[in-house]
Amino acid sequence: MYDIIGDVHGYATLLKKLLLEMGYKKTNGSFSHESRKAIFVGDFINRGPEIRKTIRIIKAMVEAGHAYAVLGNHELNAIIYHLKDKQGRSIINKPSKYFLSLFKTINEYSAQSLEWRENLKWLRTLPLFLDFGEIRVVHACWSDQAIQTAAGLYEDGRLRKKVFRKVYKKNNSEEAKCVWLLTKGINMNMPSDLRVMNNKGVSPRSFRIKWWENLAGYDFRTASFESKFTMPAYTIPKEIVPATFPYPEDAPILFFGHYCRGVGPYLIKPNICCVDSCVTGTKSLLAYRWSGEKELNMNHLVKMSM
């Protein structure tokens, strides 16, 4: 039996409250449950006020066999940020906006650099996905082809550094595309000659989409899976409909985070659940308590607020 916990983002106190609410107890330095295990969907660093404590809790649970955790895009960025080239220089010449939230994590470890380096090594041991037969877990998107590729990216129990270098360079290798897809999902990139205004009067050049649907015939609003703005209900021109990975109704239950759902909905389909409750904005953390059911049940959601 598993408790799938959404993006924690450094809110350790809230995580402790959630674990205690679900019957976990701290013994021998780790939270555990007598009959269940926790699964963290990634993105447990950055943003919050207790990042170091959060990693300690999750790492201790994973290493003690009381939990699993998958790699999120924030952990991915942390690993990339610290990579060096052959001359010992950072591979990043100019940090992009995707690395800005990482500085809060780095600052929290400013006096514990050795601990941070050890944590970076540990992050590389985390899987990109979990498939337990009846349930599946990934941070952002499930693609059968990407899953097959991901399985071969580990060496001696860790993701190889050259994989992260390829990811940062955004080359067209299968390894890079696989990692980006599993940890960041699919964004619809707007062509340069098309501008569509959202509800905030801005024309976004890209936005997150419902990768699990076939989007042919959809409008921009229905295809979007954004939390920060709403797209208009204009039909997407067939020439620019993005390729997606429709998730079958008879496939195992799938859990992911990443999409900052705020107040929900969290149960997207009978077999698809997003457990990211947007903790930074809502100050609430979400979990789904799976107990063997074949279809998701609203009553199995547990939300803890500050």
Side-chain angles (χ1 to χ4, degrees):
M1 306 304 169
Y2 299 106
D3 299 312
I4 300 89
I5 300 174
D7 307 36
V8 181
H9 278 306
Y11 284 84
T13 298
L14 196 53
L15 174 58
K16 289 179 185 178
K17 289 176 64 177
L18 178 64
L19 288 170
L20 292 171
E21 175 68 20
M22 295 190 297
Y24 287 75
K25 297 179 181 179
K26 190 172 184 180
T27 55
N28 299 321
S30 172
F31 285 93
S32 64
H33 195 286
E34 61 182 11
S35 60
R36 306 181 68 86
K37 287 188 179 184
I39 302 178
F40 296 93
V41 300
D43 280 8
F44 30 82
I45 65 171
N46 300 345
R47 296 182 177 169
E50 303 167 306
I51 298 164
R52 188 178 171 215
K53 288 182 180 178
T54 300
I55 294 181
R56 281 185 168 182
I57 293 171
I58 296 174
K59 185 180 178 185
M61 292 180 70
V62 171
E63 290 183 336
H66 303 144
Y68 298 93
V70 299
L71 202 63
N73 59 298
H74 281 257
E75 289 80 39
L76 177 70
N77 287 337
I79 296 168
I80 292 173
Y81 185 83
H82 291 84
L83 288 179
K84 309 293 183 182
D85 61 19
K86 293 180 179 179
Q87 286 72 43
R89 300 169 301 194
S90 173
I91 67 169
I92 299 174
N93 296 322
K94 184 178 180 181
S96 67
K97 64 179 181 179
Y98 299 109
F99 296 101
L100 294 179
S101 59
L102 183 60
F103 295 142
K104 193 166 186 177
T105 298
I106 294 172
N107 289 338
E108 195 167 323
Y109 280 95
S110 59
Q112 293 85 21
S113 58
L114 178 60
E115 182 181 348
W116 179 229
R117 287 198 297 271
E118 289 301 314
N119 285 338
L120 286 170
K121 291 179 182 178
W122 173 69
L123 290 176
R124 286 175 49 215
T125 68
L126 298 182
L128 287 161
F129 70 94
L130 293 168
D131 190 344
F132 293 141
E134 293 183 275
I135 66 168
R136 295 168 169 174
V137 180
V138 71
H139 182 65
C141 172
W142 188 275
S143 155
D144 289 337
Q145 182 176 348
I147 295 300
Q148 291 177 3
T149 301
L153 300 182
Y154 291 78
E155 190 173 278
D156 297 327
R158 284 191 177 95
L159 275 166
R160 293 170 288 176
K161 287 186 177 180
K162 67 179 182 180
V163 172
F164 295 101
R165 293 189 178 96
K166 290 180 180 180
V167 170
Y168 175 65
K169 293 177 181 179
K170 296 183 179 179
N171 64 23
N172 288 321
S173 69
E174 287 302 315
E175 296 99 322
K177 289 188 289 185
C178 152
V179 174
W180 277 117
L181 189 59
L182 299 180
T183 60
K184 296 195 71 173
I186 301 176
N187 280 16
M188 179 169 182
N189 298 313
M190 301 292 285
S192 58
D193 60 348
L194 178 62
R195 292 190 173 274
V196 179
M197 306 294 284
N198 63 24
N199 64 319
K200 296 187 177 181
V202 177
S203 178
R205 303 321 303 154
S206 70
F207 58 93
R208 294 173 177 180
I209 60 171
K210 297 173 181 174
W211 56 264
W212 54 89
E213 302 278 5
N214 181 345
L215 300 184
Y218 277 46
D219 58 50
F220 288 100
R221 179 178 300 173
T222 308
S224 171
F225 204 58
E226 277 288 348
S227 59
K228 297 178 181 179
F229 54 81
T230 302
M231 295 296 286
Y234 302 146
T235 301
I236 303 173
K238 63 180 181 179
E239 293 83 1
I240 65 169
V241 173
T244 55
F245 302 94
Y247 197 74
E249 293 182 359
D250 59 350
I253 292 176
L254 175 66
F255 296 95
F256 54 79
H258 187 61
Y259 293 95
C260 199
R261 300 312 298 155
V263 296
Y266 307 112
L267 305 190
I268 313 303
K269 283 189 168 185
N271 63 340
I272 298 179
C273 177
C274 179
V275 288
D276 183 1
S277 59
C278 207
V279 62
T280 306
T282 64
K283 299 300 183 289
S284 64
L285 195 58
L286 184 72
Y288 184 94
R289 311 205 76 185
W290 183 78
S291 298
E293 64 271 19
K294 303 300 181 183
E295 288 192 1
L296 295 164
N297 186 329
M298 281 283 293
N299 295 325
H300 291 192
L301 290 169
V302 178
K303 183 180 282 191
M304 180 58 62
S305 300
M306 295 183 71

